[in-house]
Amino acid sequence: MAILVTGGAGYIGSHTCIELLNAGYEIVVLDYFLNSKPEVINTIKEITQSAFKFYTIDLLDKNSLDKVFLENDIEAVIHFAALKAVGESSYNPLEYYHNNITSTLILCEKMRKYNVKNLVFSSSATVYGVPERCPISEDSPLKAKNPYGRTKLMIEEILQDLYASDKEWSICILRYFNPIGAHQSGLLGEDPNGIPNNLMPYITQVAIGKLKKLNVFGNQYPTNDGTGVRDYIHVVDLAVGHLKALERITFSTGVEVYNLGTGKGYSVLEMITAFEKASGKKIPYKIVESRPGDVAVCYADPEKAEKSLGWTATKGIDEMCKDAWRWQSLNPNGYEKNQERESPYCIPSEDFLIGNK
Ligand code: UD1
């Protein structure tokens, strides 16, 4: 029995594949490399020294998905594949709705067809919009503020309807707070396309000299130092949360929603200080206008995940910053440089690229 991971080459997907393989799961991975690099597949194999089947597949391509279910004995699906840039989603809403929602519908239709009814879905704290209060619990009001966030919210509702129509489904919706950091090996991390939108990859690119200085978006928020506060969570902790969710869905049915966060908030200035301490690098910054759509404070109440899944974040802010910096300093150009890296146990990707390559 195998776990199908869609979007397994992405930032969170790839770290989850590593945890799954290390825990002894058999995995089958899909990706279409819209936001990720083929090199990641080899890196996962290199780190875990495990083999797995990989398919280059666009989830919107219904027919190729049949092949995956027919060729493998899939027990559950972890669905990461999606477009994820907030700003871009406002410029291309149709693309975002089509890509994220249609692909999930197709995936669920195929799951139903092949009687695979265990699903872990990647959602986001963005579904809370402007939170009424912090920490944010799962039953807080939902109101996404941009097309990306609305795709996540709509999919959550679709999954609720799916379970209501067929009580054999077992679905876990995970609402991520702000994932940062990288795999401890320094071989796997976040590699955004173009100039990063998110804070940590922006900071690491300033530290490596690719960007001149950080723009701090606003210092007039009602927080200790006036800058925005977020719940940063180590991507490996987040990955482990998926294993806990998987354990949960394989022995019960229903739809459950969990926050995956640490429950602690850090301001932008605190993040700069933590990163400088962890890396020994100075981060020049400038206070600029606040970013439209940003909220002042956002951090999780992670108690439900702790009680029901037995999961808590274990890695603190120093480790997050150290790991983010290790990844960036070893890979100044992300995965591009890694293509030249030689490894004695790297399996040529061609052997494992199946599907419409
Ligand atoms: C953003 C998205 C959110 C998405 C999440 C994924 C927006 C409005 N929200 O959340 O929907 O789920 O990423 O991780 O884009 N900051 C700076 N300078 C920068 C970048 C960020 O000061 O160059 C500040 C922001 O104002 C914020 C904090 O750093 O206070 C974190 O920002 P970011 O990493 O972009 O995450 P979110 O805004 O929380």
Side-chain angles (χ1 to χ4, degrees):
M1 298 290 264
I3 310 300
L4 175 63
V5 183
T6 77
Y11 175 46
I12 305 170
S14 58
H15 286 84
T16 303
C17 287
I18 292 203
E19 296 308 313
L20 287 165
L21 290 165
N22 285 345
Y25 283 97
E26 184 190 338
I27 63 171
V28 174
V29 177
L30 308 185
D31 209 296
Y32 198 53
F33 304 121
L34 284 179
N35 267 320
S36 57
K37 308 277 172 9
E39 169 69 11
V40 173
I41 300 303
N42 269 351
T43 305
I44 297 170
K45 290 171 184 165
E46 184 181 346
I47 290 171
T48 59
Q49 301 202 41
S50 305
F52 56 86
K53 261 196 191 170
F54 173 76
Y55 295 80
T56 307
I57 276 184
D58 182 354
L59 279 178
L60 295 170
D61 179 0
K62 274 191 180 189
N63 296 334
S64 47
L65 206 48
D66 273 310
K67 185 177 157 73
V68 177
F69 282 96
L70 289 170
E71 289 180 356
N72 300 285
D73 189 7
I74 308 289
E75 178 187 12
V77 178
I78 307 182
H79 179 36
F80 292 104
L83 299 176
K84 60 167 188 178
V86 171
E88 187 183 74
S89 77
S90 297
Y91 291 105
N92 300 310
L94 295 181
E95 211 169 54
Y96 267 70
Y97 288 118
H98 182 59
N99 211 306
N100 292 0
I101 295 177
T102 311
S103 62
T104 306
L105 291 175
I106 291 173
L107 175 68
C108 290
E109 281 164 20
K110 296 298 173 188
M111 289 176 70
R112 182 180 58 186
K113 178 173 171 187
Y114 294 100
N115 203 31
V116 178
K117 294 182 177 174
N118 296 322
L119 175 67
V120 178
F121 174 65
S122 270
S123 189
S124 165
T126 200
V127 298
Y128 295 116
V130 181
E132 278 175 9
R133 68 180 74 83
C134 283
I136 307 172
S137 56
E138 288 81 353
D139 54 8
S140 302
L142 303 178
K143 181 121 185 62
K145 290 172 63 193
N146 50 64
Y148 160 73
R150 277 189 281 276
T151 67
K152 292 291 176 190
L153 192 48
M154 286 178 190
I155 295 167
E156 287 198 8
E157 287 169 345
I158 290 167
L159 296 177
Q160 298 279 0
D161 287 342
L162 184 57
Y163 172 70
S165 73
D166 176 356
K167 299 284 191 294
E168 284 179 10
W169 280 85
S170 184
I171 300 169
C172 216
I173 293 170
L174 301 178
R175 293 184 183 146
Y176 311 148
F177 281 69
N178 291 55
I180 60 168
H183 191 261
Q184 212 190 338
S185 62
L187 299 175
L188 199 66
E190 193 171 9
D191 185 15
N193 290 332
I195 295 177
N197 295 310
N198 297 120
L199 181 65
M200 185 49 84
Y202 204 107
I203 289 181
T204 60
Q205 292 199 13
V206 170
I208 201 82
K210 287 180 91 176
L211 297 167
K212 269 196 174 147
K213 61 171 183 326
L214 172 72
N215 290 317
V216 174
F217 298 141
N219 66 349
Q220 302 294 324
Y221 290 110
T223 61
N224 282 345
D225 58 27
T227 64
V229 167
R230 296 290 184 276
D231 185 337
Y232 298 93
I233 174 169
H234 197 295
V235 65
V236 172
D237 274 333
L238 197 64
V240 172
H242 293 75
L243 271 69
K244 297 289 185 184
L246 204 54
E247 284 166 21
R248 172 95 194 168
I249 58 169
T250 40
F251 73 78
S252 65
T253 59
V255 195
E256 285 294 339
V257 182
Y258 298 99
N259 284 338
L260 294 186
T262 64
K264 290 188 200 75
Y266 288 90
S267 73
V268 178
L269 297 184
E270 285 171 334
M271 290 303 288
I272 295 172
T273 306
F275 184 84
E276 287 181 340
K277 183 172 156 242
S279 65
K281 291 275 172 185
K282 193 86 196 136
I283 303 298
Y285 70 87
K286 185 181 165 198
I287 308 286
V288 299
E289 286 290 288
S290 57
R291 183 170 60 179
D294 268 0
V295 300
V297 181
C298 175
Y299 59 92
D301 176 352
E303 202 182 299
K304 185 176 174 197
E306 186 177 349
K307 281 195 175 143
S308 304
L309 301 180
W311 173 89
T312 42
T314 59
K315 295 173 188 292
I317 210 71
D318 290 345
E319 198 171 348
M320 297 183 214
C321 291
K322 275 201 177 105
D323 289 344
W325 176 235
R326 187 182 304 110
W327 156 252
Q328 184 72 74
S329 52
L330 289 174
N331 308 274
N333 297 314
Y335 291 107
E336 260 164 46
K337 171 192 154 258
N338 288 2
Q339 272 153 17
E340 289 144 33
R341 183 162 46 81
E342 282 184 18
S343 159
Y345 41 81
C346 194
I347 304 160
S349 60
E350 289 293 302
D351 293 354
F352 285 86
L353 285 173
I354 309 169
N356 57 346
K357 62 170 168 137

